Amino acid sequence: MVPENLRINIERLVGRIEALAEIGSIEGGGVCRIALSDEDREGRDLVVYWMHELGLKISIDKIGNVIGIREGSEAGAPVMTGSHIDTVATGGRYDGNLGVLAGLEVIQTLNDASITTKKPIGVGFFTNEEGARFTPDMMGSAVHQGVFNVDDMLDVVGVDGARLGDELKKIGYAGEAAVGSFQADSFVELHIEQGPLLEFEGYEIGAVESVQGISWKEYRISGTANHAGTTPMHLRHDAGYVAAKISVEARRIAISMGGHQTATVGVTELIPGLVNVIAKGALVTVDLRNTDEQKLQEAEATMLRFIEKICIEEAVTFECRTLVRFEPVNFDPEMVSMVARTATNRGYKVKQMPSGAGHDAQMFAPNCPTAMIFVPSVGGISHNVEEYTEPKHLHAGADVLLHVLLKKSL
Ligand code: HGY
Ligand code: MN
Ligand code: MN
């Protein structure tokens, strides 16, 4: 029987969020804790310290994922929760961190109430969810659940030229625990929405039904460096011009397709990047997403056709590298309705919705009943130091997480 009156301690949860946000804190109240950086190590050490304090059995696996298990009266596959504590360079204090720290808050609430669950409960944080330094994103959870091969990922070279395996060793999180064979009973991740819908429509909780497909491509354009003043316009092979056209075309594709289609050119680097030199090279990344796999393939094909055409016109060449490609993922309808029912019964207004962002939960979805809980992001802002979620919504999310985990484990 789930003790309905059991409640998390919001002050304690906010206290941990603030304490962790101190590590890698940046101007404006945000956080920069790039995967496998010194700040990531420090953040990991703090969360592991809290896991020890809570009496969890801690394991670190070969890609640096950290899982803390609270034993149940029966052995067996744990009911899992968790997320990530690495951030983008202009990150906020809630993206990922909320899911991990709310998991610890659930553990402490159960410890304080001396509740023994039947099934074990696990809280994890997964390596390199953001993919900001090493692609692909959701790397740790993907290796954890057997999507990617760990040795391939350890050999990934980051945007700064560092090898992932070396950096993992450097921060002391190259663990021994096997990867790819972990069987969770179920997985529920609490995360901020990172978009405007819940706030705009007046909901407190999102019961997430799916994660949209993600395509990250890197295009390297090669043109001819030349003098900005002496080279006639019709004789140029300007990689910078092509990069700019790609950016405009990405927006056009998303607007013309409509629906859930998004397109983002997040990186544009010109070589040599000088005011009076026509760029001989350009690096451009294109992030395309859609809830529908066919439409996502259509967007990718339209983008590629455009780049082929514009490169012929400008007489430049290009190479394309796929950084990330995940198909859309649907969560377990039973789990989704459990989240929605629990939220409603706990008195929250709940909306069933897709996720625009990728999440660790999507790696568990093919292997066990999985769902996510969203809480509103003020102004829909995320990946930005202004990221903020009100304490009452942090409380609502952690409260729903507590009661869903109890339902799954008692
Ligand atoms: O890009 C994403 O959706 C996630 O933040 N890694
Ligand atoms: Mn996240
Ligand atoms: Mn993120």
Side-chain angles (χ1 to χ4, degrees):
M1 177 61 184
V2 174
E4 292 306 329
N5 57 352
L6 198 62
R7 302 185 76 81
I8 60 112
N9 177 326
I10 184 62
E11 289 72 31
R12 196 166 52 194
L13 173 56
V14 170
R16 285 206 171 102
I17 291 173
E18 307 297 335
L20 184 54
E22 282 305 307
I23 300 173
S25 63
I26 51 175
E27 179 82 14
V31 178
C32 174
R33 218 171 29 241
I34 297 287
L36 310 187
S37 62
D38 287 341
E39 295 77 15
D40 187 20
R41 174 186 48 74
E42 236 187 289
R44 284 166 169 261
D45 291 350
L46 180 58
V47 177
V48 167
Y49 168 78
W50 285 330
M51 284 181 166
H52 274 302
E53 257 194 337
L54 294 171
L56 298 181
K57 204 164 128 248
I58 299 169
S59 70
I60 303 175
D61 72 17
K62 291 196 165 72
I63 196 83
N65 297 315
V66 179
I67 310 276
I69 301 282
R70 181 179 194 265
E71 295 303 325
S73 57
E74 294 173 10
V79 174
M80 282 295 298
T81 189
S83 192
H84 60 95
I85 64 167
D86 66 299
T87 74
V88 293
T90 56
R93 53 187 56 199
Y94 304 97
D95 176 359
N97 302 305
L98 172 61
V100 178
L101 300 181
L104 296 187
E105 178 50 35
V106 165
I107 297 294
Q108 187 147 9
T109 303
L110 298 180
N111 288 354
D112 293 352
S114 312
I115 289 175
T116 303
T117 55
K118 203 165 79 208
K119 294 177 186 169
I121 294 182
V123 184
F125 61 82
F126 299 96
T127 298
N128 186 35
E129 189 279 345
E130 291 295 0
R133 180 184 180 195
F134 303 99
T135 53
D137 59 345
M138 282 82 74
M139 184 193 277
S141 47
V143 168
H144 186 265
Q145 287 296 301
V147 175
F148 293 141
N149 170 285
V150 64
D151 293 326
D152 294 346
M153 294 300 116
L154 291 172
D155 282 339
V156 164
V157 174
V159 291
D160 55 0
R163 178 182 167 274
L164 188 138
D166 301 341
E167 297 301 289
L168 194 60
K169 269 201 198 99
K170 220 188 293 177
I171 67 165
Y173 278 86
E176 299 292 317
V179 290
S181 52
F182 187 102
Q183 185 51 51
D185 165 83
S186 45
F187 188 92
V188 191
E189 179 175 357
L190 169 61
H191 204 286
I192 52 171
E193 177 200 345
Q194 301 182 287
L197 289 184
L198 292 176
E199 181 188 57
F200 187 67
E201 298 176 12
Y203 290 96
E204 293 152 303
I205 294 288
V208 185
E209 298 168 311
S210 62
V211 176
Q212 57 184 356
I214 302 177
S215 159
W216 288 359
K217 303 265 186 195
E218 176 193 83
Y219 293 96
R220 287 184 184 277
I221 316 292
S222 304
T224 310
N226 217 325
H227 195 295
T230 57
T231 314
M233 294 311 291
H234 67 288
L235 296 181
R236 294 180 177 216
H237 308 294
D238 184 345
Y241 165 70
V242 171
K245 292 287 275 185
I246 290 172
S247 208
V248 171
E249 176 64 6
R251 173 65 64 93
R252 188 203 65 76
I253 290 172
I255 302 299
S256 67
M257 289 182 72
H260 286 284
Q261 185 61 47
T262 62
T264 312
V265 170
V267 175
T268 302
E269 282 165 18
L270 300 187
I271 301 152
L274 298 171
V275 62
N276 58 354
V277 179
I278 299 167
K280 73 171 180 179
L283 170 77
V284 182
T285 62
V286 180
D287 175 322
L288 298 172
R289 306 196 192 199
N290 201 304
T291 49
D292 178 304
E293 174 60 17
Q294 291 319 320
K295 291 206 175 90
L296 184 54
Q297 288 180 19
E298 193 190 308
E300 287 177 312
T302 308
M303 189 83 242
L304 182 59
R305 273 197 307 276
F306 175 81
I307 292 174
E308 286 166 344
K309 178 170 155 298
I310 185 87
C311 284
I312 292 168
E313 287 167 6
E314 189 67 14
V316 298
T317 59
F318 77 93
E319 286 165 12
C320 174
R321 186 161 73 101
T322 298
L323 301 176
V324 167
R325 186 58 170 90
F326 294 123
E327 295 200 5
V329 169
N330 291 314
F331 290 136
D332 176 74
E334 253 307 288
M335 285 292 283
V336 175
S337 39
M338 180 184 282
V339 167
R341 271 198 321 274
T342 305
T344 308
N345 295 344
R346 305 285 301 163
Y348 306 114
K349 264 191 83 186
V350 56
K351 174 190 178 67
Q352 300 205 192
M353 62 193 288
S355 170
H359 296 289
D360 293 310
Q362 72 189 79
M363 301 304 164
F364 284 79
N367 307 324
C368 68
T370 299
M372 288 187 74
I373 304 163
F374 271 176
V375 286
S377 294
V378 170
I381 300 275
S382 182
H383 283 190
N384 178 319
V385 296
E386 307 280 321
E387 183 181 280
Y388 182 66
T389 293
E390 293 177 61
K392 65 178 179 180
H393 291 143
L394 298 174
H395 184 280
D399 185 40
V400 173
L401 179 69
L402 168 66
H403 286 274
V404 171
L405 292 177
L406 277 171
K407 279 189 181 133
K408 292 300 294 178
S409 60
L410 273 182

